[in-house]
Amino acid sequence: MLESELHDLSDDADYAASQQQGSASMMLGSDSAKQSSPRDGAEIVFQKDNVAIHPTQFASERISGRLKLIKQSSSLFMTWIPYKGHNSEARLSDKDRSLYTIRAVPFTDIRSIRRHNPALGWQYIIVVLSSGLAHPPLYFYSGGVKEFLATIKQHVLLVRSAEDANIFLVNDFQNTLQRTLSSLELPRAVPLACGPSDMSVDESILNENQERADNGVNSGSLSVTQFHGRPRHKAHDPARDLSIQVLEKFSLVTKFARETTSQLFGENHSNGFSANERRTHIQANLDHSKNSSNVVENTSEKSPVALDSHEFDNLSLIWGKPRQPPLGSEEWIIFLDSEGRVTDSEALRKRVFYGGLDHELRNEVWGLLLGYYPYESTYAEREFLKSVKKLEYENIKNQWQSISSAQAKRFTKFRERKGLIEKDVVRTDRSLAFYEGDDNPNINILRDILLTYSFYNFDLGYCQGMSDLLSPILFVMDDESEAFWCFVALMERLGPNFNRDQNGMHSQLFALSKLVELLDSPLHNYFKQRDCLNYFFCFRWILIQFKREFEYEKTMRLWEVLWTHYPSEHLHLYVCVAILKRYRGKIMGEVMDFDTLLKFINELSGHIDLDATLRDAEALCICAGENGAARIPPGTPPSLPVDDGSFYVQQDDEVL
Amino acid sequence: MSYAYLFKYIIIGDTGVGKSCLLLQFTDKRFQPVHDLTIGVEFGARMITIDNKPIKLQIWDTAGQESFRSITRSYYRGAAGALLVYDITRRETFNHLASWLEDARQHANANMTIMLIGNKCDLAHRRAVSTEEGEQFAKEHGLIFMEASAKTAQNVEEAFIKTAATIYKKIQDGVFDVSNESYGIKVGYGGIPGPSGGRDGPSAAAGGCCS
Ligand SMILES: Nc1nc2c(ncn2[C@@H]2O[C@H](COP(=O)(O)OP(=O)(O)OP(=O)(O)O)[C@@H](O)[C@H]2O)c(=O)[nH]1
Ligand SMILES: [Mg+2]
């Protein structure tokens, strides 16, 4: 596809891949004229090998790559692509690699470059974007920082900061917004990302935190208090929100970079802080998101520039992969062997994750995604299974159909269940053509499937919300038995949502609170302070997989993406975090209490941008990595329950 | 829009008794047979006038299903009024009233005004609970009572307004400290503070005007 087209433009496939993704990061640029990819007439004006980052504190663990400056028409771009398979450490995953890759960042998006010349070790630079984001330090293991800066200077305006001779302000005068941005005071984001050779700046952060710590319990809740204290309009400044958002996300990355730097070059410089003190400080802050947001709040208070909200949307995540068009029938065939087996289910899941499915493919693919049909089944086997299952369905259905009215009189539970289901199917998606109108036969099919399910799984029975989950499945499968079995497969995953005691829901809400604590501790502290930690305002989102939050087509898209279990089987929780993070500024800025928050979240229905949310959710999930996975207690749906009896007991009485 | 007071209402009662329909009839003045069952809570709002004062009702229409109760209970907090609804054609919805009341007493504030509504009175031919039984229950528990129909709109307007009038009277009588929002009452701009004093109402001294 695209890739072959790109190949002749560059010698390495990584570069080509990055270009493909680069078009998205370029769209981040505020200059819409530059949305075209640099591949036409692109010229490499600088190239340096052995430029590396250190994702962990171990000096040996480094990702090496190639740094390039690319000129296209009048714009300059920077890329840093890690080598494939050349990592010194096999432990570094593809995830890491793509996480750190710098994909064609236009210089209009770069605010400054900071050079570091440590006494021991290699020179490195830190690139700070106009959004306040900083990339991890890039170490020039083969030298060349000077040359790098000199090349930039030939193409864009590079001004040495008056305050610090090692800071180079980047300016591209084609763009007025950028001009304004880069004329601003250097953000405090720089010290956050910088190494130990700048302890003077770090010190000021420490002092700042010290001051705050004097006023309250912990820096996290303090930043919230501070938030309240500020004039209202400040809270709506999208630029401010943005920098917090991005920086927080980024801070998880920088955390490693920073620890690396300390480790690499030791702490025994002649600054006031010993290595130990410094570590304690880092420990005391627990995680950098608290720290970073404090820092950013200060920065942006000084920033008079507000990006418009459109830009804010585009910019919200720098490494979120662009969404793809849905998988269509032609491409679908490629995933199948001649007999209809899915040859590489992982690749299929990945493809569906990034783009979803064309509607006409859903009927064929949903059963596979849900695990009703095995990926390795052939066309013939699926046909066979279908007919076997149809008989099985009819048998179960017959169990309740054969209950006579006389028998039903003595079978209260059955009567109640049936009554409840009948009441609910007429209140499910009736505005859709498929279910609209009196005596619509599809309503009866909904009822029959739900009633049959309540016999198939008598213990779980029927619970409200199930009809919402079944409705799109019946719509897509358009066959009673097939819809039933797909629904059964979905309920294998989501059944605990409908436990009478709500423990499946509570464990997910609990896991959600843990993820927000990890990924946005100021927001977490805010919820804590406001007595909102039960996350009941996300109840509907989770119970029926956002069915009421999006229009029908979008819901189906989201579901198939979630069902891939591609980056995580708990992606739905990251979707929750992504949405909350999108509105965190408003939530905290307007000091919403539980009632207001609940109403606000309810009213978001129909206004959530699905693609952007999925991008954010993916990035958050990658960003959180194992830390995130560790916050989700074993057995949290849709994971299968653990059997040792010790599962997700909510020892934490914060929730519930 | 400016209001003198804002009252928070909750609508509670078994699933399917017609809570959402009552709300829709009150806010949109239509009977909507095509609507979805409630998961969690839905919101509605309408302005009414009592004693010439504009009052905004913010109405929380909760899900009735038993297993959602642990969630919906958290919505009771700070409600000034509650509509407790049963379906006159389904006896069990009437039988469950006591447990709803218990929930309300436990999780809402003690001064909450409760209106008991026997809904679907248009279906008189299928009646399973007599008007007298409804009246009797209300009397025993100190509730206001009405039979209504979300379908024909009979008594719907009245039920919501009567509840508001009762709350308003309580304010006038000084039952509430309206500056304490946990009573589910907010004093609006241009509002009249009750005897116990308004929280924020710069024009309070201007008397009955509500512009
Ligand atoms: N005849 C008649 N039918 C009604 C009336 N009010 C509601 N209904 C019907 O009763 C059913 C349930 O109404 P809802 O308003 O959805 O019930 P609810 O109390 O909100 O139920 P949950 O949301 O599940 O708690 C619907 O199918 C309505 O059409 C009424 O006054 N008369
Ligand atoms: Mg309802």
Side-chain angles (χ1 to χ4, degrees), chain A residues 442-478:
Chain A
N442 292 326
I443 298 172
N444 293 334
I445 300 178
L446 271 186
R447 179 201 60 200
D448 288 0
I449 295 177
L450 288 169
L451 202 48
T452 307
Y453 182 78
S454 87
F455 271 71
Y456 173 83
N457 189 345
F458 200 86
D459 291 343
L460 189 60
Y462 170 77
C463 183
Q464 285 184 342
M466 286 183 180
S467 66
D468 275 87
L469 292 180
L470 176 59
S471 155
I473 291 178
L474 177 60
F475 173 68
V476 162
M477 302 314 287
D478 209 14

Tab-separated table of all heavy atoms in Angstrom, chain A residues 442-478:
chain	number	residue	atom	x	y	z
A	442	ASN	N	-38.379	-7.451	14.624
A	442	ASN	CA	-37.061	-7.460	15.264
A	442	ASN	C	-37.148	-7.278	16.778
A	442	ASN	O	-36.283	-7.738	17.517
A	442	ASN	CB	-36.170	-6.381	14.660
A	442	ASN	CG	-35.809	-6.705	13.221
A	442	ASN	OD1	-35.650	-7.882	12.873
A	442	ASN	ND2	-35.704	-5.699	12.384
A	443	ILE	N	-38.217	-6.610	17.216
A	443	ILE	CA	-38.393	-6.449	18.661
A	443	ILE	C	-38.680	-7.803	19.298
A	443	ILE	O	-38.171	-8.124	20.377
A	443	ILE	CB	-39.534	-5.455	18.953
A	443	ILE	CG1	-39.171	-4.086	18.384
A	443	ILE	CG2	-39.778	-5.348	20.443
A	443	ILE	CD1	-40.298	-3.094	18.447
A	444	ASN	N	-39.463	-8.602	18.609
A	444	ASN	CA	-39.749	-9.943	19.132
A	444	ASN	C	-38.491	-10.806	19.144
A	444	ASN	O	-38.302	-11.620	20.043
A	444	ASN	CB	-40.833	-10.615	18.300
A	444	ASN	CG	-42.162	-9.908	18.479
A	444	ASN	OD1	-42.395	-9.275	19.509
A	444	ASN	ND2	-43.016	-9.984	17.472
A	445	ILE	N	-37.649	-10.620	18.136
A	445	ILE	CA	-36.402	-11.399	18.116
A	445	ILE	C	-35.513	-10.972	19.291
A	445	ILE	O	-34.937	-11.818	19.979
A	445	ILE	CB	-35.668	-11.221	16.764
A	445	ILE	CG1	-36.570	-11.694	15.620
A	445	ILE	CG2	-34.360	-12.005	16.763
A	445	ILE	CD1	-35.980	-11.524	14.242
A	446	LEU	N	-35.453	-9.681	19.534
A	446	LEU	CA	-34.711	-9.199	20.707
A	446	LEU	C	-35.217	-9.907	21.959
A	446	LEU	O	-34.432	-10.405	22.768
A	446	LEU	CB	-34.905	-7.691	20.889
A	446	LEU	CG	-33.982	-6.679	20.210
A	446	LEU	CD1	-34.328	-5.277	20.707
A	446	LEU	CD2	-32.509	-6.987	20.499
A	447	ARG	N	-36.539	-9.920	22.087
A	447	ARG	CA	-37.127	-10.535	23.278
A	447	ARG	C	-36.774	-12.017	23.368
A	447	ARG	O	-36.351	-12.511	24.415
A	447	ARG	CB	-38.649	-10.364	23.238
A	447	ARG	CG	-39.338	-10.997	24.442
A	447	ARG	CD	-40.790	-11.286	24.190
A	447	ARG	NE	-40.952	-12.209	23.065
A	447	ARG	CZ	-42.085	-12.349	22.363
A	447	ARG	NH1	-43.143	-11.650	22.668
A	447	ARG	NH2	-42.141	-13.203	21.354
A	448	ASP	N	-36.923	-12.710	22.256
A	448	ASP	CA	-36.664	-14.158	22.259
A	448	ASP	C	-35.207	-14.458	22.615
A	448	ASP	O	-34.924	-15.377	23.379
A	448	ASP	CB	-37.005	-14.763	20.891
A	448	ASP	CG	-38.521	-14.804	20.673
A	448	ASP	OD1	-39.249	-14.366	21.591
A	448	ASP	OD2	-38.951	-15.269	19.603
A	449	ILE	N	-34.310	-13.681	22.049
A	449	ILE	CA	-32.889	-13.933	22.348
A	449	ILE	C	-32.603	-13.683	23.826
A	449	ILE	O	-31.936	-14.483	24.491
A	449	ILE	CB	-31.978	-13.055	21.468
A	449	ILE	CG1	-32.126	-13.446	19.985
A	449	ILE	CG2	-30.520	-13.207	21.896
A	449	ILE	CD1	-31.321	-12.587	19.039
A	450	LEU	N	-33.133	-12.590	24.342
A	450	LEU	CA	-32.845	-12.258	25.741
A	450	LEU	C	-33.451	-13.294	26.688
A	450	LEU	O	-32.825	-13.687	27.683
A	450	LEU	CB	-33.355	-10.856	26.074
A	450	LEU	CG	-32.538	-9.723	25.442
A	450	LEU	CD1	-33.252	-8.382	25.598
A	450	LEU	CD2	-31.135	-9.654	26.070
A	451	LEU	N	-34.638	-13.717	26.357
A	451	LEU	CA	-35.286	-14.712	27.207
A	451	LEU	C	-34.536	-16.047	27.116
A	451	LEU	O	-34.311	-16.717	28.124
A	451	LEU	CB	-36.751	-14.872	26.778
A	451	LEU	CG	-37.727	-15.448	27.794
A	451	LEU	CD1	-37.588	-14.761	29.147
A	451	LEU	CD2	-39.170	-15.280	27.301
A	452	THR	N	-34.123	-16.387	25.910
A	452	THR	CA	-33.358	-17.616	25.742
A	452	THR	C	-32.027	-17.521	26.484
A	452	THR	O	-31.601	-18.465	27.139
A	452	THR	CB	-33.100	-17.904	24.246
A	452	THR	OG1	-34.353	-17.876	23.551
A	452	THR	CG2	-32.438	-19.262	24.054
A	453	TYR	N	-31.425	-16.350	26.404
A	453	TYR	CA	-30.169	-16.188	27.135
A	453	TYR	C	-30.394	-16.368	28.634
A	453	TYR	O	-29.581	-16.971	29.343
A	453	TYR	CB	-29.515	-14.830	26.864
A	453	TYR	CG	-28.200	-14.696	27.594
A	453	TYR	CD1	-27.048	-15.318	27.100
A	453	TYR	CD2	-28.114	-14.033	28.817
A	453	TYR	CE1	-25.854	-15.262	27.787
A	453	TYR	CE2	-26.919	-13.969	29.510
A	453	TYR	CZ	-25.796	-14.579	29.001
A	453	TYR	OH	-24.610	-14.546	29.689
A	454	SER	N	-31.498	-15.860	29.117
A	454	SER	CA	-31.734	-15.945	30.561
A	454	SER	C	-31.982	-17.392	30.993
A	454	SER	O	-31.920	-17.702	32.173
A	454	SER	CB	-32.882	-15.025	30.983
A	454	SER	OG	-34.116	-15.677	30.852
A	455	PHE	N	-32.268	-18.266	30.013
A	455	PHE	CA	-32.322	-19.701	30.322
A	455	PHE	C	-30.954	-20.346	30.121
A	455	PHE	O	-30.565	-21.226	30.877
A	455	PHE	CB	-33.380	-20.408	29.461
A	455	PHE	CG	-34.726	-20.388	30.121
A	455	PHE	CD1	-35.440	-19.199	30.225
A	455	PHE	CD2	-35.277	-21.534	30.667
A	455	PHE	CE1	-36.672	-19.164	30.860
A	455	PHE	CE2	-36.506	-21.504	31.307
A	455	PHE	CZ	-37.208	-20.322	31.406
A	456	TYR	N	-30.256	-19.888	29.094
A	456	TYR	CA	-28.905	-20.386	28.827
A	456	TYR	C	-28.011	-20.116	30.041
A	456	TYR	O	-27.209	-20.938	30.447
A	456	TYR	CB	-28.341	-19.694	27.587
A	456	TYR	CG	-26.890	-19.983	27.298
A	456	TYR	CD1	-26.507	-21.133	26.610
A	456	TYR	CD2	-25.895	-19.096	27.723
A	456	TYR	CE1	-25.179	-21.396	26.344
A	456	TYR	CE2	-24.561	-19.348	27.460
A	456	TYR	CZ	-24.203	-20.505	26.778
A	456	TYR	OH	-22.891	-20.752	26.518
A	457	ASN	N	-28.154	-18.922	30.597
A	457	ASN	CA	-27.388	-18.548	31.791
A	457	ASN	C	-28.387	-18.133	32.866
A	457	ASN	O	-28.584	-16.952	33.128
A	457	ASN	CB	-26.435	-17.402	31.442
A	457	ASN	CG	-25.460	-17.111	32.560
A	457	ASN	OD1	-25.650	-17.548	33.693
A	457	ASN	ND2	-24.414	-16.361	32.253
A	458	PHE	N	-29.013	-19.139	33.442
A	458	PHE	CA	-30.131	-18.848	34.342
A	458	PHE	C	-29.688	-18.062	35.576
A	458	PHE	O	-30.414	-17.229	36.098
A	458	PHE	CB	-30.843	-20.139	34.752
A	458	PHE	CG	-32.225	-19.892	35.254
A	458	PHE	CD1	-33.295	-19.822	34.373
A	458	PHE	CD2	-32.461	-19.683	36.608
A	458	PHE	CE1	-34.581	-19.546	34.827
A	458	PHE	CE2	-33.750	-19.411	37.072
A	458	PHE	CZ	-34.810	-19.341	36.173
A	459	ASP	N	-28.475	-18.335	36.030
A	459	ASP	CA	-27.991	-17.658	37.243
A	459	ASP	C	-27.861	-16.154	37.024
A	459	ASP	O	-28.186	-15.359	37.893
A	459	ASP	CB	-26.633	-18.223	37.655
A	459	ASP	CG	-26.756	-19.645	38.156
A	459	ASP	OD1	-27.888	-20.052	38.483
A	459	ASP	OD2	-25.734	-20.351	38.206
A	460	LEU	N	-27.350	-15.779	35.872
A	460	LEU	CA	-27.221	-14.352	35.594
A	460	LEU	C	-28.579	-13.768	35.232
A	460	LEU	O	-28.930	-12.671	35.677
A	460	LEU	CB	-26.227	-14.130	34.446
A	460	LEU	CG	-25.811	-12.682	34.173
A	460	LEU	CD1	-25.136	-12.095	35.410
A	460	LEU	CD2	-24.868	-12.618	32.986
A	461	GLY	N	-29.332	-14.525	34.424
A	461	GLY	CA	-30.685	-14.092	34.088
A	461	GLY	C	-30.716	-12.908	33.162
A	461	GLY	O	-29.909	-12.804	32.251
A	462	TYR	N	-31.655	-12.008	33.423
A	462	TYR	CA	-31.746	-10.807	32.607
A	462	TYR	C	-31.511	-9.581	33.476
A	462	TYR	O	-31.943	-9.521	34.622
A	462	TYR	CB	-33.118	-10.702	31.930
A	462	TYR	CG	-33.303	-9.345	31.293
A	462	TYR	CD1	-32.686	-9.047	30.080
A	462	TYR	CD2	-34.024	-8.333	31.939
A	462	TYR	CE1	-32.793	-7.790	29.508
A	462	TYR	CE2	-34.141	-7.075	31.374
A	462	TYR	CZ	-33.526	-6.808	30.168
A	462	TYR	OH	-33.619	-5.556	29.623
A	463	CYS	N	-30.845	-8.613	32.912
A	463	CYS	CA	-30.615	-7.370	33.635
A	463	CYS	C	-30.632	-6.232	32.626
A	463	CYS	O	-30.221	-6.404	31.467
A	463	CYS	CB	-29.262	-7.453	34.335
A	463	CYS	SG	-28.888	-6.036	35.336
A	464	GLN	N	-31.103	-5.078	33.049
A	464	GLN	CA	-31.161	-3.944	32.125
A	464	GLN	C	-29.773	-3.579	31.642
A	464	GLN	O	-28.810	-3.618	32.405
A	464	GLN	CB	-31.841	-2.748	32.802
A	464	GLN	CG	-33.344	-2.953	32.892
A	464	GLN	CD	-34.059	-1.740	33.466
A	464	GLN	OE1	-33.441	-0.883	34.090
A	464	GLN	NE2	-35.365	-1.679	33.266
A	465	GLY	N	-29.701	-3.197	30.404
A	465	GLY	CA	-28.412	-2.928	29.775
A	465	GLY	C	-28.108	-3.999	28.737
A	465	GLY	O	-27.477	-3.749	27.724
A	466	MET	N	-28.616	-5.219	29.021
A	466	MET	CA	-28.364	-6.306	28.071
A	466	MET	C	-28.992	-6.008	26.717
A	466	MET	O	-28.418	-6.326	25.670
A	466	MET	CB	-28.902	-7.626	28.609
A	466	MET	CG	-28.059	-8.208	29.743
A	466	MET	SD	-28.745	-9.802	30.211
A	466	MET	CE	-27.626	-10.293	31.519
A	467	SER	N	-30.169	-5.402	26.729
A	467	SER	CA	-30.824	-5.153	25.442
A	467	SER	C	-30.032	-4.121	24.640
A	467	SER	O	-29.989	-4.180	23.419
A	467	SER	CB	-32.271	-4.686	25.654
A	467	SER	OG	-32.315	-3.433	26.289
A	468	ASP	N	-29.399	-3.217	25.326
A	468	ASP	CA	-28.527	-2.259	24.636
A	468	ASP	C	-27.349	-2.959	23.968
A	468	ASP	O	-26.932	-2.592	22.879
A	468	ASP	CB	-27.970	-1.220	25.619
A	468	ASP	CG	-28.919	-0.065	25.841
A	468	ASP	OD1	-29.782	-0.186	26.722
A	468	ASP	OD2	-28.801	0.950	25.113
A	469	LEU	N	-26.823	-3.969	24.638
A	469	LEU	CA	-25.688	-4.698	24.065
A	469	LEU	C	-26.124	-5.606	22.914
A	469	LEU	O	-25.398	-5.802	21.951
A	469	LEU	CB	-24.986	-5.531	25.154
A	469	LEU	CG	-24.249	-4.745	26.234
A	469	LEU	CD1	-23.616	-5.697	27.238
A	469	LEU	CD2	-23.172	-3.841	25.630
A	470	LEU	N	-27.318	-6.128	23.039
A	470	LEU	CA	-27.773	-7.053	22.005
A	470	LEU	C	-28.198	-6.321	20.733
A	470	LEU	O	-27.988	-6.822	19.622
A	470	LEU	CB	-28.934	-7.900	22.549
A	470	LEU	CG	-29.583	-8.855	21.546
A	470	LEU	CD1	-28.567	-9.845	20.984
A	470	LEU	CD2	-30.735	-9.612	22.213
A	471	SER	N	-28.767	-5.141	20.909
A	471	SER	CA	-29.353	-4.448	19.759
A	471	SER	C	-28.411	-4.326	18.547
A	471	SER	O	-28.772	-4.744	17.445
A	471	SER	CB	-29.878	-3.080	20.223
A	471	SER	OG	-29.930	-2.164	19.176
A	472	PRO	N	-27.193	-3.793	18.693
A	472	PRO	CA	-26.321	-3.705	17.511
A	472	PRO	C	-25.901	-5.083	16.990
A	472	PRO	O	-25.707	-5.247	15.787
A	472	PRO	CB	-25.092	-2.946	18.025
A	472	PRO	CG	-25.547	-2.240	19.257
A	472	PRO	CD	-26.576	-3.130	19.856
A	473	ILE	N	-25.812	-6.053	17.889
A	473	ILE	CA	-25.400	-7.388	17.450
A	473	ILE	C	-26.472	-8.002	16.550
A	473	ILE	O	-26.171	-8.539	15.485
A	473	ILE	CB	-25.103	-8.286	18.673
A	473	ILE	CG1	-23.844	-7.781	19.377
A	473	ILE	CG2	-24.921	-9.739	18.247
A	473	ILE	CD1	-23.474	-8.549	20.630
A	474	LEU	N	-27.728	-7.867	16.965
A	474	LEU	CA	-28.797	-8.394	16.117
A	474	LEU	C	-28.846	-7.619	14.802
A	474	LEU	O	-29.015	-8.185	13.729
A	474	LEU	CB	-30.145	-8.315	16.838
A	474	LEU	CG	-31.350	-8.787	16.016
A	474	LEU	CD1	-31.183	-10.241	15.591
A	474	LEU	CD2	-32.655	-8.600	16.777
A	475	PHE	N	-28.667	-6.323	14.896
A	475	PHE	CA	-28.673	-5.479	13.703
A	475	PHE	C	-27.606	-5.946	12.715
A	475	PHE	O	-27.847	-6.031	11.512
A	475	PHE	CB	-28.443	-4.029	14.125
A	475	PHE	CG	-28.257	-3.075	12.979
A	475	PHE	CD1	-29.313	-2.779	12.124
A	475	PHE	CD2	-27.031	-2.466	12.761
A	475	PHE	CE1	-29.145	-1.894	11.061
A	475	PHE	CE2	-26.851	-1.583	11.706
A	475	PHE	CZ	-27.926	-1.302	10.853
A	476	VAL	N	-26.437	-6.278	13.217
A	476	VAL	CA	-25.319	-6.676	12.356
A	476	VAL	C	-25.475	-8.122	11.866
A	476	VAL	O	-25.321	-8.420	10.685
A	476	VAL	CB	-23.973	-6.501	13.092
A	476	VAL	CG1	-22.863	-7.291	12.415
A	476	VAL	CG2	-23.600	-5.033	13.157
A	477	MET	N	-25.807	-9.028	12.774
A	477	MET	CA	-25.863	-10.439	12.395
A	477	MET	C	-27.112	-10.749	11.574
A	477	MET	O	-27.086	-11.596	10.684
A	477	MET	CB	-25.817	-11.341	13.637
A	477	MET	CG	-24.584	-11.156	14.531
A	477	MET	SD	-23.014	-11.078	13.663
A	477	MET	CE	-22.800	-12.779	13.162
A	478	ASP	N	-28.191	-10.051	11.911
A	478	ASP	CA	-29.456	-10.222	11.194
A	478	ASP	C	-29.875	-11.680	11.100
A	478	ASP	O	-30.379	-12.130	10.076
A	478	ASP	CB	-29.353	-9.584	9.801
A	478	ASP	CG	-30.732	-9.108	9.325
A	478	ASP	OD1	-31.644	-9.047	10.172
A	478	ASP	OD2	-30.882	-8.822	8.129
